[in-house]
Amino acid sequence: MNLLTTKIDLDAIAHNTRVLKKMAGSAKLMAVVKANAYNHGVEKVAPVIAAHGADAFGVATLAEALQLREIGIAQEILCWIWTPEQDFKAALERNIDLAVISPAHAQALIDSDDQPIRVSIKVETGLHRSGVDESEWEAVFDALAAAPHIEVTGLFTHLACADEPENPETDEQIIAFRRALALARKHGLECPVNHVCNSPAFLTRSDLHMEMVRPGLAFYGLEPVVGLDHGLRPAMTWEAKVSVVKQIEPGQGTSYGLTWRAEDRGFVAVIPAGYADGMPRHAQGRFSVTINGVDYPQVGRVCMDQFVISLGENPHGVQAGAQAVIFGENGHDATDFADRLGTINYEVVCRPTGRTVREYI
Ligand SMILES: Cc1ncc(COP(=O)(O)O)c(C=O)c1O
């Protein structure tokens, strides 16, 4: 029996995939499953997404792309974080598409002329992270158009402010993207499949779907824009078994530094999740866990392996072995938990690590 688990609801993943597929309409649906499917466990999650409508997969690293092939994913896979010094040929051999994110990346692929290569060019349009700068577009387009072993599937870019639908920055980026596309075509690249939409843009800007959309977060059932509801079902619940319940007297403190002291006689309970498991130490005093539908505040320092909650007088008789929901089903949702911690739902689903074990339902 595991004390600390993330329950991953594969039916929710299937449901979300169907919802997104329908929303995508005629656009292809690329599922972003980087970071171990946003910490949901790519081995189990990707086949479900593949079976329910994804046309393609997107990952950050070469290792993630290779892992998808190893688990039997046959759809096209695009990888966008790699360097020419890495063994990118292993990925090409497995039919993985590589993103050209700088002129050096383009050159490495042009020089690697031993096999057909499919690429998508990531153009810089305003995020200023990775992507080919406008001053380099022409040279990169020309060089790739002249390489007979390279097939350019299209262009893509990543939006900086799509989670703020009113922010004009997105439209500025789209203007730049369309400029890049026109230039690429003028320089002989057909660019049949182009894409800009992450989850927030996909869900709020159907006018930007183009030939493919590229959401991640939405597959896991979370809304990237506060206040929206697309009928997605959160797939992850982080929960722990209470390891100890003990009495505490007025004035007694708990956990390192005794930063919290009981005002009244009551009970505290220990939850076996600490910063080694992804519960941030600075979460102290900011959240509560839910046991049988009742909320109990976290108190005192978050330790490496455990934190403490106050049960007050323990009117509901919580005992060791009780199931405490940190976030997810029957507790606070990931977005609410994230708000309390001063972060975003993307980060909190990536948090459960360490001794947390995934259980699939
Ligand atoms: C290049 C790229 N495309 C798409 C996504 C998916 O974003 P989201 O999870 O907001 O849908 C990400 C994630 O950060 C990304 O880096």
Side-chain angles (χ1 to χ4, degrees):
M1 186 190 59
N2 301 304
L3 296 182
L4 184 60
T5 55
T6 42
K7 293 228 159 68
I8 309 296
D9 182 348
L10 294 175
D11 280 346
I13 299 280
H15 164 83
N16 298 333
T17 307
R18 287 191 297 266
V19 169
L20 300 179
K21 180 72 179 166
K22 199 165 168 209
M23 285 185 72
S26 60
K28 288 170 75 177
L29 179 62
M30 173 182 277
V32 178
V33 294
K34 64 193 170 110
N36 204 8
Y38 289 43
N39 199 29
H40 289 64
V42 75
E43 286 190 17
K44 290 279 197 286
V45 164
V48 173
I49 292 177
H52 288 85
D55 302 293
F57 286 84
V59 292
T61 67
L62 294 171
E64 291 172 344
L66 290 170
Q67 186 187 9
L68 282 179
R69 283 283 180 257
E70 270 155 36
I71 63 173
I73 295 296
Q75 278 89 344
E76 63 184 59
I77 299 172
L78 175 64
C79 165
W80 53 73
I81 299 183
W82 61 283
T83 69
E85 294 75 33
Q86 286 183 291
D87 181 14
F88 61 86
K89 290 190 182 184
L92 297 176
E93 278 160 18
R94 306 302 305 271
N95 214 11
I96 286 155
D97 299 355
L98 294 179
V100 169
I101 57 176
S102 80
H105 289 76
Q107 196 56 53
L109 296 174
I110 290 166
D111 294 343
S112 168
D113 58 0
D114 48 344
Q115 52 209 321
I117 298 174
R118 274 168 45 110
V119 303
S120 186
I121 307 170
K122 192 174 191 201
V123 287
E124 170 54 53
T125 58
L127 180 63
H128 297 108
R129 213 168 58 177
S130 61
V132 180
D133 283 336
E134 184 152 6
S135 58
E136 303 157 339
W137 286 351
E138 210 160 355
V140 168
F141 297 160
D142 270 344
L144 290 172
H149 61 297
I150 295 183
E151 179 194 348
V152 177
T153 59
L155 307 188
F156 74 112
T157 199
H158 199 38
L159 300 170
C161 304
D163 56 338
E164 302 164 13
E166 304 305 319
N167 195 321
E169 203 62 56
T170 298
D171 286 317
E172 292 296 320
Q173 285 195 254
I174 297 306
I175 290 168
F177 188 76
R178 294 202 190 285
R179 210 161 51 235
L181 197 50
L183 190 69
R185 287 180 172 150
K186 194 171 145 214
H187 284 256
L189 298 173
E190 221 176 291
C191 296
V193 180
N194 307 289
H195 42 106
V196 302
C197 282
N198 56 0
S199 295
F202 174 43
L203 297 173
T204 64
R205 294 287 305 265
S206 56
D207 58 318
L208 303 183
H209 285 186
M210 300 186 191
E211 293 82 22
M212 183 149 78
V213 291
R214 207 176 65 236
L217 189 79
F219 279 94
Y220 312 101
L222 300 176
E223 291 284 346
V225 179
V226 180
L228 295 188
D229 183 359
H230 292 89
L232 302 170
R233 283 169 39 198
M236 180 187 287
T237 295
W238 195 15
E239 56 188 30
K241 288 209 181 300
V242 170
S243 54
V244 169
V245 173
K246 66 166 60 204
Q247 209 158 20
I248 193 158
E249 300 295 330
Q252 288 182 331
T254 185
S255 198
Y256 294 124
L258 305 177
T259 57
W260 178 88
R261 289 179 188 272
E263 286 179 11
D264 304 302
R265 189 161 204 240
F267 294 85
V268 291
V270 179
I271 308 291
Y275 53 78
D277 306 300
M279 177 59 75
R281 190 167 180 271
H282 70 244
Q284 172 175 350
R286 291 170 160 229
F287 69 103
S288 50
V289 302
T290 312
I291 302 175
N292 292 326
V294 179
D295 251 23
Y296 298 94
Q298 187 275 328
V299 295
R301 290 259 160 83
V302 172
C303 311
M304 186 183 290
D305 319 304
Q306 49 199 327
F307 64 81
V308 180
I309 57 173
S310 168
L311 301 175
E313 291 174 9
N314 198 9
H316 302 284
V318 173
Q319 294 180 1
Q323 199 74 344
V325 179
I326 301 170
F327 69 78
E329 200 174 3
N330 299 321
H332 292 271
D333 64 35
T335 305
D336 187 23
F337 180 66
D339 276 352
R340 289 161 174 241
L341 266 54
T343 183
I344 54 175
N345 48 18
Y346 289 77
E347 185 186 346
V348 304
V349 291
C350 291
R351 280 257 152 218
T353 46
R355 279 69 53 98
T356 309
V357 175
R358 285 186 202 94
E359 288 178 3
Y360 291 93
I361 45 175

